[in-house]
PDB file of all heavy atoms in Angstrom:
ATOM      1  N   MET A   1     119.196  35.897   5.950  1.00 50.00           N
ATOM      2  CA  MET A   1     118.346  36.089   7.149  1.00 50.00           C
ATOM      3  C   MET A   1     118.851  37.336   7.906  1.00 50.00           C
ATOM      4  O   MET A   1     120.043  37.551   8.041  1.00 50.00           O
ATOM      5  CB  MET A   1     118.503  34.848   8.040  1.00 50.00           C
ATOM      6  CG  MET A   1     117.707  34.948   9.341  1.00 50.00           C
ATOM      7  SD  MET A   1     117.484  33.382  10.213  1.00 50.00           S
ATOM      8  CE  MET A   1     116.364  32.496   9.151  1.00 50.00           C
ATOM      9  N   THR A   2     117.902  38.143   8.389  1.00 50.00           N
ATOM     10  CA  THR A   2     118.266  39.384   9.109  1.00 50.00           C
ATOM     11  C   THR A   2     118.946  39.029  10.425  1.00 50.00           C
ATOM     12  O   THR A   2     118.408  38.230  11.206  1.00 50.00           O
ATOM     13  CB  THR A   2     116.986  40.209   9.410  1.00 50.00           C
ATOM     14  OG1 THR A   2     116.163  40.158   8.279  1.00 50.00           O
ATOM     15  CG2 THR A   2     117.341  41.628   9.732  1.00 50.00           C
ATOM     16  N   THR A  10     124.504  32.791  25.985  1.00 98.00           N
ATOM     17  CA  THR A  10     125.413  32.300  27.004  1.00 98.00           C
ATOM     18  C   THR A  10     126.398  31.325  26.371  1.00 98.00           C
ATOM     19  O   THR A  10     125.986  30.498  25.552  1.00 98.00           O
ATOM     20  CB  THR A  10     124.651  31.621  28.147  1.00 98.00           C
ATOM     21  OG1 THR A  10     123.968  32.601  28.925  1.00 98.00           O
ATOM     22  CG2 THR A  10     125.567  30.818  29.080  1.00 98.00           C
ATOM     23  N   LEU A  14     135.177  27.947  28.108  1.00 98.00           N
ATOM     24  CA  LEU A  14     135.988  28.993  27.497  1.00 98.00           C
ATOM     25  C   LEU A  14     137.404  28.513  27.277  1.00 98.00           C
ATOM     26  O   LEU A  14     138.384  29.134  27.642  1.00 98.00           O
ATOM     27  CB  LEU A  14     135.995  30.258  28.404  1.00 98.00           C
ATOM     28  CG  LEU A  14     134.635  30.873  28.669  1.00 98.00           C
ATOM     29  CD1 LEU A  14     134.743  32.003  29.656  1.00 98.00           C
ATOM     30  CD2 LEU A  14     133.941  31.330  27.384  1.00 98.00           C
ATOM     31  N   ALA A  22     132.549  33.000  22.111  1.00 98.00           N
ATOM     32  CA  ALA A  22     132.034  34.138  22.898  1.00 98.00           C
ATOM     33  C   ALA A  22     132.466  35.470  22.292  1.00 98.00           C
ATOM     34  O   ALA A  22     131.688  36.421  22.227  1.00 98.00           O
ATOM     35  CB  ALA A  22     132.541  34.008  24.334  1.00 98.00           C
ATOM     36  N   THR A  32     126.427  38.991  25.982  1.00 98.00           N
ATOM     37  CA  THR A  32     127.024  37.617  26.101  1.00 98.00           C
ATOM     38  C   THR A  32     127.413  37.322  27.539  1.00 98.00           C
ATOM     39  O   THR A  32     128.179  38.079  28.166  1.00 98.00           O
ATOM     40  CB  THR A  32     128.275  37.498  25.180  1.00 98.00           C
ATOM     41  OG1 THR A  32     127.856  37.871  23.849  1.00 98.00           O
ATOM     42  CG2 THR A  32     128.825  36.106  25.196  1.00 98.00           C
ATOM     43  N   TRP A  35     130.646  31.396  31.188  1.00 98.00           N
ATOM     44  CA  TRP A  35     131.039  30.667  32.397  1.00 98.00           C
ATOM     45  C   TRP A  35     132.128  29.677  32.014  1.00 98.00           C
ATOM     46  O   TRP A  35     132.067  29.070  30.949  1.00 98.00           O
ATOM     47  CB  TRP A  35     129.848  29.885  33.004  1.00 98.00           C
ATOM     48  CG  TRP A  35     130.280  29.174  34.265  1.00 98.00           C
ATOM     49  CD1 TRP A  35     130.177  29.679  35.547  1.00 98.00           C
ATOM     50  CD2 TRP A  35     130.827  27.892  34.434  1.00 98.00           C
ATOM     51  NE1 TRP A  35     130.668  28.789  36.448  1.00 98.00           N
ATOM     52  CE2 TRP A  35     131.093  27.684  35.794  1.00 98.00           C
ATOM     53  CE3 TRP A  35     131.190  26.881  33.523  1.00 98.00           C
ATOM     54  CZ2 TRP A  35     131.666  26.495  36.294  1.00 98.00           C
ATOM     55  CZ3 TRP A  35     131.750  25.714  33.999  1.00 98.00           C
ATOM     56  CH2 TRP A  35     131.971  25.507  35.388  1.00 98.00           C
ATOM     57  N   VAL A  46     135.505  39.453  29.531  1.00 98.00           N
ATOM     58  CA  VAL A  46     134.833  40.398  30.440  1.00 98.00           C
ATOM     59  C   VAL A  46     135.298  41.827  30.149  1.00 98.00           C
ATOM     60  O   VAL A  46     134.497  42.753  30.069  1.00 98.00           O
ATOM     61  CB  VAL A  46     135.053  39.994  31.919  1.00 98.00           C
ATOM     62  CG1 VAL A  46     134.588  41.085  32.857  1.00 98.00           C
ATOM     63  CG2 VAL A  46     134.353  38.651  32.216  1.00 98.00           C
ATOM     64  N   ARG A 113     115.352  16.216  30.707  1.00 96.00           N
ATOM     65  CA  ARG A 113     115.460  17.222  31.764  1.00 96.00           C
ATOM     66  C   ARG A 113     114.758  18.524  31.365  1.00 96.00           C
ATOM     67  O   ARG A 113     114.938  19.549  31.991  1.00 96.00           O
ATOM     68  CB  ARG A 113     116.944  17.470  32.091  1.00 96.00           C
ATOM     69  CG  ARG A 113     117.492  16.358  32.934  1.00 96.00           C
ATOM     70  CD  ARG A 113     119.015  16.260  32.857  1.00 96.00           C
ATOM     71  NE  ARG A 113     119.457  15.116  33.644  1.00 96.00           N
ATOM     72  CZ  ARG A 113     119.381  13.828  33.288  1.00 96.00           C
ATOM     73  NH1 ARG A 113     118.861  13.536  32.110  1.00 96.00           N
ATOM     74  NH2 ARG A 113     119.768  12.878  34.096  1.00 96.00           N
ATOM     75  N   GLY A 130     133.553  33.456  13.469  1.00 98.00           N
ATOM     76  CA  GLY A 130     133.049  34.810  13.274  1.00 98.00           C
ATOM     77  C   GLY A 130     133.268  35.260  11.833  1.00 98.00           C
ATOM     78  O   GLY A 130     132.832  36.337  11.461  1.00 98.00           O
ATOM     79  N   HIS A 138     124.690  21.785  12.115  1.00 98.00           N
ATOM     80  CA  HIS A 138     123.718  21.588  13.217  1.00 98.00           C
ATOM     81  C   HIS A 138     122.749  20.509  12.836  1.00 98.00           C
ATOM     82  O   HIS A 138     122.324  20.375  11.694  1.00 98.00           O
ATOM     83  CB  HIS A 138     122.950  22.892  13.478  1.00 98.00           C
ATOM     84  CG  HIS A 138     123.819  24.009  13.983  1.00 98.00           C
ATOM     85  ND1 HIS A 138     124.229  24.056  15.288  1.00 98.00           N
ATOM     86  CD2 HIS A 138     124.380  25.028  13.362  1.00 98.00           C
ATOM     87  CE1 HIS A 138     125.011  25.083  15.442  1.00 98.00           C
ATOM     88  NE2 HIS A 138     125.146  25.713  14.293  1.00 98.00           N
ATOM     89  N   ARG A 142     114.190  21.040  13.559  1.00 98.00           N
ATOM     90  CA  ARG A 142     114.290  22.174  12.656  1.00 98.00           C
ATOM     91  C   ARG A 142     113.770  23.480  13.240  1.00 98.00           C
ATOM     92  O   ARG A 142     114.399  24.539  13.113  1.00 98.00           O
ATOM     93  CB  ARG A 142     113.606  21.885  11.320  1.00 98.00           C
ATOM     94  CG  ARG A 142     113.712  22.993  10.318  1.00 98.00           C
ATOM     95  CD  ARG A 142     112.907  22.724   9.063  1.00 98.00           C
ATOM     96  NE  ARG A 142     113.556  21.801   8.174  1.00 98.00           N
ATOM     97  CZ  ARG A 142     114.468  22.110   7.279  1.00 98.00           C
ATOM     98  NH1 ARG A 142     114.862  23.366   7.130  1.00 98.00           N
ATOM     99  NH2 ARG A 142     115.028  21.216   6.490  1.00 98.00           N
ATOM    100  N   ASP A 144     113.791  24.566  16.208  1.00 98.00           N
ATOM    101  CA  ASP A 144     114.780  25.147  17.143  1.00 98.00           C
ATOM    102  C   ASP A 144     115.932  25.766  16.369  1.00 98.00           C
ATOM    103  O   ASP A 144     116.429  26.861  16.737  1.00 98.00           O
ATOM    104  CB  ASP A 144     115.311  24.065  18.084  1.00 98.00           C
ATOM    105  CG  ASP A 144     114.260  23.609  19.090  1.00 98.00           C
ATOM    106  OD1 ASP A 144     113.362  24.462  19.418  1.00 98.00           O
ATOM    107  OD2 ASP A 144     114.300  22.457  19.530  1.00 98.00           O
ATOM    108  N   GLU A 146     115.772  26.955  13.307  1.00 97.00           N
ATOM    109  CA  GLU A 146     115.296  28.166  12.637  1.00 97.00           C
ATOM    110  C   GLU A 146     115.115  29.344  13.611  1.00 97.00           C
ATOM    111  O   GLU A 146     115.387  30.488  13.288  1.00 97.00           O
ATOM    112  CB  GLU A 146     114.037  27.867  11.833  1.00 97.00           C
ATOM    113  CG  GLU A 146     114.355  27.060  10.594  1.00 97.00           C
ATOM    114  CD  GLU A 146     113.167  26.656   9.765  1.00 97.00           C
ATOM    115  OE1 GLU A 146     112.038  26.824  10.250  1.00 97.00           O
ATOM    116  OE2 GLU A 146     113.423  26.147   8.615  1.00 97.00           O
ATOM    117  N   ALA A 147     114.687  29.015  14.835  1.00 96.00           N
ATOM    118  CA  ALA A 147     114.445  30.052  15.843  1.00 96.00           C
ATOM    119  C   ALA A 147     115.767  30.739  16.215  1.00 96.00           C
ATOM    120  O   ALA A 147     115.770  31.931  16.549  1.00 96.00           O
ATOM    121  CB  ALA A 147     113.795  29.463  17.074  1.00 96.00           C
ATOM    122  N   GLY A 156     129.643  32.003  12.049  1.00 98.00           N
ATOM    123  CA  GLY A 156     130.186  31.597  10.759  1.00 98.00           C
ATOM    124  C   GLY A 156     129.077  31.167   9.824  1.00 98.00           C
ATOM    125  O   GLY A 156     127.940  31.629   9.953  1.00 98.00           O
ATOM    126  N   LEU A 161     121.351  20.176   9.000  1.00 98.00           N
ATOM    127  CA  LEU A 161     121.492  18.906   8.321  1.00 98.00           C
ATOM    128  C   LEU A 161     120.268  17.996   8.446  1.00 98.00           C
ATOM    129  O   LEU A 161     120.066  17.081   7.627  1.00 98.00           O
ATOM    130  CB  LEU A 161     122.708  18.149   8.836  1.00 98.00           C
ATOM    131  CG  LEU A 161     124.074  18.860   8.688  1.00 98.00           C
ATOM    132  CD1 LEU A 161     125.138  18.185   9.477  1.00 98.00           C
ATOM    133  CD2 LEU A 161     124.443  18.959   7.227  1.00 98.00           C
ATOM    134  N   LEU A 218     132.690  13.319  -8.415  1.00 98.00           N
ATOM    135  CA  LEU A 218     131.806  12.842  -7.299  1.00 98.00           C
ATOM    136  C   LEU A 218     130.325  12.770  -7.601  1.00 98.00           C
ATOM    137  O   LEU A 218     129.673  11.773  -7.275  1.00 98.00           O
ATOM    138  CB  LEU A 218     132.078  13.689  -6.025  1.00 98.00           C
ATOM    139  CG  LEU A 218     133.517  13.619  -5.476  1.00 98.00           C
ATOM    140  CD1 LEU A 218     133.617  14.386  -4.142  1.00 98.00           C
ATOM    141  CD2 LEU A 218     133.996  12.202  -5.275  1.00 98.00           C
ATOM    142  N   ILE A 248     152.505   0.722  -5.917  1.00 98.00           N
ATOM    143  CA  ILE A 248     153.170  -0.020  -4.854  1.00 98.00           C
ATOM    144  C   ILE A 248     154.605  -0.347  -5.236  1.00 98.00           C
ATOM    145  O   ILE A 248     155.562  -0.164  -4.483  1.00 98.00           O
ATOM    146  CB  ILE A 248     152.381  -1.301  -4.477  1.00 98.00           C
ATOM    147  CG1 ILE A 248     151.053  -0.906  -3.863  1.00 98.00           C
ATOM    148  CG2 ILE A 248     153.148  -2.195  -3.546  1.00 98.00           C
ATOM    149  CD1 ILE A 248     150.017  -2.053  -3.778  1.00 98.00           C
ATOM    150  N   GLU A 252     158.006   0.967  -3.399  1.00 98.00           N
ATOM    151  CA  GLU A 252     158.989   0.059  -2.815  1.00 98.00           C
ATOM    152  C   GLU A 252     160.385   0.223  -3.479  1.00 98.00           C
ATOM    153  O   GLU A 252     161.399   0.197  -2.808  1.00 98.00           O
ATOM    154  CB  GLU A 252     158.480  -1.377  -2.892  1.00 98.00           C
ATOM    155  CG  GLU A 252     157.359  -1.596  -1.910  1.00 98.00           C
ATOM    156  CD  GLU A 252     156.733  -2.995  -1.929  1.00 98.00           C
ATOM    157  OE1 GLU A 252     156.884  -3.691  -2.981  1.00 98.00           O
ATOM    158  OE2 GLU A 252     156.100  -3.372  -0.952  1.00 98.00           O
ATOM    159  N   LEU A 260     149.924   2.535   2.602  1.00 97.00           N
ATOM    160  CA  LEU A 260     148.612   3.072   2.205  1.00 97.00           C
ATOM    161  C   LEU A 260     148.119   2.492   0.875  1.00 97.00           C
ATOM    162  O   LEU A 260     147.009   1.971   0.796  1.00 97.00           O
ATOM    163  CB  LEU A 260     148.666   4.613   2.196  1.00 97.00           C
ATOM    164  CG  LEU A 260     147.343   5.330   1.975  1.00 97.00           C
ATOM    165  CD1 LEU A 260     146.365   5.008   3.117  1.00 97.00           C
ATOM    166  CD2 LEU A 260     147.595   6.835   1.964  1.00 97.00           C
ATOM    167  N   LEU A 263     146.970  -1.051   1.314  1.00 97.00           N
ATOM    168  CA  LEU A 263     145.715  -1.163   2.023  1.00 97.00           C
ATOM    169  C   LEU A 263     144.555  -0.983   0.988  1.00 97.00           C
ATOM    170  O   LEU A 263     143.586  -1.778   0.948  1.00 97.00           O
ATOM    171  CB  LEU A 263     145.585  -0.102   3.085  1.00 97.00           C
ATOM    172  CG  LEU A 263     144.288  -0.019   3.856  1.00 97.00           C
ATOM    173  CD1 LEU A 263     144.119  -1.206   4.761  1.00 97.00           C
ATOM    174  CD2 LEU A 263     144.215   1.274   4.678  1.00 97.00           C
ATOM    175  N   ALA A 271     137.216  -6.836  -3.738  1.00 98.00           N
ATOM    176  CA  ALA A 271     136.042  -6.528  -4.580  1.00 98.00           C
ATOM    177  C   ALA A 271     136.159  -7.312  -5.887  1.00 98.00           C
ATOM    178  O   ALA A 271     135.134  -7.822  -6.402  1.00 98.00           O
ATOM    179  CB  ALA A 271     135.993  -5.036  -4.853  1.00 98.00           C
ATOM    180  N   GLU A 279     133.491  -3.672 -13.002  1.00 98.00           N
ATOM    181  CA  GLU A 279     132.650  -2.511 -12.666  1.00 98.00           C
ATOM    182  C   GLU A 279     133.538  -1.290 -12.377  1.00 98.00           C
ATOM    183  O   GLU A 279     134.748  -1.395 -12.339  1.00 98.00           O
ATOM    184  CB  GLU A 279     131.722  -2.862 -11.494  1.00 98.00           C
ATOM    185  CG  GLU A 279     130.701  -3.917 -11.914  1.00 98.00           C
ATOM    186  CD  GLU A 279     129.876  -4.408 -10.749  1.00 98.00           C
ATOM    187  OE1 GLU A 279     128.857  -3.796 -10.450  1.00 98.00           O
ATOM    188  OE2 GLU A 279     130.259  -5.399 -10.139  1.00 98.00           O
ATOM    189  N   VAL A 283     132.250   0.980  -6.942  1.00 98.00           N
ATOM    190  CA  VAL A 283     131.744  -0.286  -6.443  1.00 98.00           C
ATOM    191  C   VAL A 283     132.485  -0.645  -5.097  1.00 98.00           C
ATOM    192  O   VAL A 283     131.982  -1.432  -4.302  1.00 98.00           O
ATOM    193  CB  VAL A 283     131.894  -1.416  -7.486  1.00 98.00           C
ATOM    194  CG1 VAL A 283     133.376  -1.857  -7.635  1.00 98.00           C
ATOM    195  CG2 VAL A 283     131.029  -2.598  -7.155  1.00 98.00           C
TER     196      VAL A 283
END
Side-chain angles (χ1 to χ4, degrees):
M1 178 165 292
T2 319
T10 288
L14 301 175
T32 305
W35 183 91
V46 169
R113 284 158 182 77
H138 294 282
R142 182 185 282 276
D144 290 332
E146 286 178 349
L161 300 170
L218 298 185
I248 294 166
E252 288 177 339
L260 188 60
L263 176 72
E279 294 173 87
V283 74

